[in-house]
């Protein structure tokens, strides 16, 4: 812990060209939030000659580093990152970088916590989350330093899209809002199109990132990253379509229909209900987009279904959109409508997206399904990994046998099972395959 003169802290923030050292904030969970109330208060304190000591009124800054040493009153730090206090740091730099040497604030001090976390990323990430939980930080921001979030950001960047892992980073750098995808929006898109749960996208967007069980289903290293890009682009296409003259959607409709419309469009492309984002891989590999023509057809179905369901139940559109009961109703209509369409648009058919029973399963995949059959389990029921016995053997945190891993991947890609925490869950498609479709 150190009380650092603002003169010295400003020098720490400034590079040899007089610019802010932005790289030292890479591990911060948010970018600069601009002219918000807390930053105005910091600025006012710095500009007020008679203000009390700066560190009395400010929570200070937390720095992590791999090594630290001190000689006299000078600290030498390796691999430095400011993980809490970015707003304070940016405001100090903005107010004082052009100030004269006699500016009174330069003699004030800021409280700096220096934490030596070594080279252990897990310890560093725990520090980042702990220090940022003490202030109001959205759940999405607390996930910003996860490896998968960084991987998604890097992939998007290479395609001209911008994943706003650190809130406002790309907006502050002048990127088009139409190309910026936030963590919550991507989570909602995955939940709606990749898991067929648009009700959760509509009603519980923050919980998708708070609960580890939901988060790991949405953001998994087992999901090819290009699927995330397709989902982001598709949700943007849906949102843009609902704003168009073609859709003529009212503001309440845009709010309540956007994720259900996205789900129906994805379902029609795949040809079956989507239980896992991996089921989208054939259409993603084929570069098959959701088009305005797709959305025009789907919007009529979604609107009619909302109206009919509301008539039957007496529920409002808002309640329907947030409830799970409507999902099966809507999907049944969407798939029935698909079955009766005798002249499908070729781009709406993904060659590999056929009913799972038409796919030849490997022997290892068959053994995994047999475990569900032996226990007479049905859709929604699970088998914990430790209960698979010799069928699935773990070693050092991984499935030992490559053939078993391939078999499991085949089931996941086919939407026959989904991973659920430390277990495997049977889907309706998996149940149909095991017990036969009536």
């Amino acid at each position: 812990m150190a009380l650092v003169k603002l003169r010295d802290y400003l020098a720490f923030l400034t590079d040899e060209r007089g610019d802010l050292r932005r790289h030292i904030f890479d591990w911060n969970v948010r970018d600069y939030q601009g002219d918000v109330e807390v930053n105005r208060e910091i600025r006012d304190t710095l500009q007020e000659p008679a203000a009390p000591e700066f560190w009395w009124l400010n929570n200070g800054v937390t720095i992590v580093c791999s090594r630290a040493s001190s000689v006299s009153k000078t600290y030498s730090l390796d691999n430095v990152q400011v993980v809490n206090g970015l707003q304070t740091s940016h405001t100090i730099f903005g107010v004082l970088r052009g100030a004269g040497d006699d500016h009174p604030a330069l003699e004030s001090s800021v409280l700096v916590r220096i934490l030596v976390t070594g080279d252990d990323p897990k310890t560093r990430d725990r520090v980042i989350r702990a220090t940022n939980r003490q202030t109001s930080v959205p759940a999405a921001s607390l996930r910003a330093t996860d490896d998968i979030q960084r991987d998604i950001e890097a992939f998007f960047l290479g395609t001209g899209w911008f994943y706003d892992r650190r809130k406002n980073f790309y907006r502050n750098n002048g990127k088009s809002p139409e190309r910026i995808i936030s963590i919550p929006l991507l989570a909602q898109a995955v939940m709606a199109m990749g898991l067929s749960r648009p009700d959760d996208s509509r009603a519980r967007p923050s919980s998708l990132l708070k609960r580890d069980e939901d988060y790991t289903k949405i953001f998994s290293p087992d999901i090819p990253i290009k699927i995330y890009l397709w989902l982001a682009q598709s949700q943007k296409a849906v949102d843009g379509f609902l704003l168009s003259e073609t859709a003529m959607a009212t503001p309440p409709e845009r709010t309540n229909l956007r994720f259900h419309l996205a789900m129906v469009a994805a379902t029609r492309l795949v040809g079956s209900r989507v239980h896992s984002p991996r089921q989208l891989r054939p259409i993603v590999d084929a570069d098959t987009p959701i088009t305005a023509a797709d959305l025009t057809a789907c919007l009529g179905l979604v609107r009619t279904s909302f109206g009919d369901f509301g008539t039957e139940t007496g529920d409002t559109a808002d309640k329907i959109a947030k409830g799970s009961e409507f999902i099966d109703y809507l999907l049944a209509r969407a798939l029935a409508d698909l079955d009766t369409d005798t002249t499908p648009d070729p781009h709406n058919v993904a060659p590999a997206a056929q009913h799972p029973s038409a796919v030849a399963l490997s022997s290892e995949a068959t053994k995994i399904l047999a475990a569900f059959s032996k226990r007479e389990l049905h859709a929604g029921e699970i088998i914990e990994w430790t209960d698979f016995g010799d069928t699935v053997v773990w070693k050092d945190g991984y499935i030992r046998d490559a053939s078993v891993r391939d078999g499991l991947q085949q089931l996941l890609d086919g939407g026959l099972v989904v991973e659920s925490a430390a277990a495997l869950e049977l889907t309706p498609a998996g149940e149909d395959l095991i017990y036969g479709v009536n």
Side-chain angles (χ1 to χ4, degrees), residues 75-254:
Y75 290 89
S76 295
L77 311 176
D78 292 344
N79 301 317
V80 175
Q81 283 290 309
V82 176
V83 297
N84 188 269
L86 180 145
Q87 307 305 316
T88 294
S89 299
H90 269 254
T91 307
I92 289 172
F93 182 81
V95 172
L96 298 181
R97 63 174 169 173
D101 287 342
D102 59 347
H103 195 294
L106 291 171
E107 292 305 311
S108 293
S109 299
V110 61
L111 186 64
V112 179
R113 289 200 305 161
I114 301 171
L115 305 179
V116 182
T117 58
D119 297 318
D120 181 12
K122 291 184 178 179
T123 300
R124 179 198 60 216
D125 287 346
R126 288 184 67 183
V127 169
I128 292 170
R129 293 194 182 190
T131 55
N132 283 284
R133 277 205 169 100
Q134 296 166 15
T135 56
S136 179
V137 176
S141 294
L142 292 174
R143 302 284 192 178
T145 60
D146 291 356
D147 286 343
I148 190 168
Q149 300 297 335
R150 290 179 168 276
D151 291 343
I152 293 172
E153 180 184 24
F155 184 79
F156 277 37
L157 196 58
T159 65
W161 287 76
F162 307 101
Y163 187 54
D164 206 31
R165 181 179 61 82
R166 293 168 56 206
K167 185 179 178 183
N168 288 340
F169 178 79
Y170 289 107
R171 188 191 72 175
N172 290 344
N173 282 275
K175 302 304 181 183
S176 169
E178 296 303 314
R179 289 265 172 167
I180 297 175
I181 306 294
S182 68
I183 295 178
L185 178 62
L186 183 57
Q188 289 171 302
V190 175
M191 190 61 79
M193 290 178 275
L195 294 167
S196 298
R197 287 168 55 184
D199 54 319
D200 286 330
S201 299
R202 168 67 180 90
R204 292 164 285 278
S206 61
S207 68
L208 304 182
L209 300 168
K210 287 181 179 178
R211 297 178 59 222
D212 286 344
E213 182 179 354
D214 284 330
Y215 178 80
T216 54
K217 285 182 180 178
I218 296 168
F219 293 108
S220 167
D222 295 329
I223 300 172
I225 286 187
K226 60 184 177 180
I227 291 178
Y228 287 113
L229 179 63
W230 185 91
L231 287 163
Q233 293 172 330
S234 297
Q235 191 60 58
K236 280 284 192 178
V238 170
D239 292 345
F241 173 77
L242 288 173
L243 287 169
S244 70
E245 292 183 2
T246 301
M248 296 181 65
T250 64
E253 278 189 315
R254 292 198 294 269

Side-chain angles (χ1 to χ4, degrees), residues 240-288:
F241 173 77
L242 288 173
L243 287 169
S244 70
E245 292 183 2
T246 301
M248 296 181 65
T250 64
E253 278 189 315
R254 292 198 294 269
T255 299
N256 287 323
L257 271 59
R258 59 192 293 231
F259 298 116
H260 291 77
L261 177 58
M263 177 190 72
V264 169
T267 297
R268 288 173 63 90
L269 284 178
V270 172
S272 64
R273 181 170 184 159
V274 180
H275 298 281
S276 165
R278 298 180 191 87
Q279 284 177 258
L280 300 170
R281 186 165 187 169
I283 59 177
V284 174
D285 286 344
D287 292 325
T288 305

Side-chain angles (χ1 to χ4, degrees), residues 313-373:
T313 63
D315 292 339
T316 64
D318 188 68
K319 184 175 181 180
I320 293 170
K322 294 179 179 179
S324 59
E325 297 83 3
F326 180 58
I327 307 303
D328 290 340
Y329 181 93
L330 177 59
L331 284 174
R333 286 192 167 195
L335 292 171
D337 182 65
L338 189 63
D339 290 339
T340 58
D341 186 355
T342 58
T343 57
D345 190 331
H347 76 261
N348 274 351
V349 180
Q354 49 190 320
H355 191 280
S357 61
V359 178
L361 295 179
S362 69
S363 60
E364 300 299 342
T366 302
K367 288 178 184 178
I368 295 173
L369 284 184
F372 287 94
S373 175

Side-chain angles (χ1 to χ4, degrees), residues 347-408:
H347 76 261
N348 274 351
V349 180
Q354 49 190 320
H355 191 280
S357 61
V359 178
L361 295 179
S362 69
S363 60
E364 300 299 342
T366 302
K367 288 178 184 178
I368 295 173
L369 284 184
F372 287 94
S373 175
K374 184 177 180 180
R375 293 169 172 78
E376 298 184 352
L377 300 180
H378 295 275
E381 296 185 285
I382 66 171
I383 299 178
E384 294 185 0
W385 290 117
T386 53
D387 292 337
F388 274 100
D390 293 339
T391 301
V392 180
V393 180
W394 289 80
K395 183 178 180 181
D396 298 328
Y398 295 92
I399 296 176
R400 183 187 64 189
D401 301 311
S403 59
V404 177
R405 291 198 298 271
D406 292 342
L408 174 60

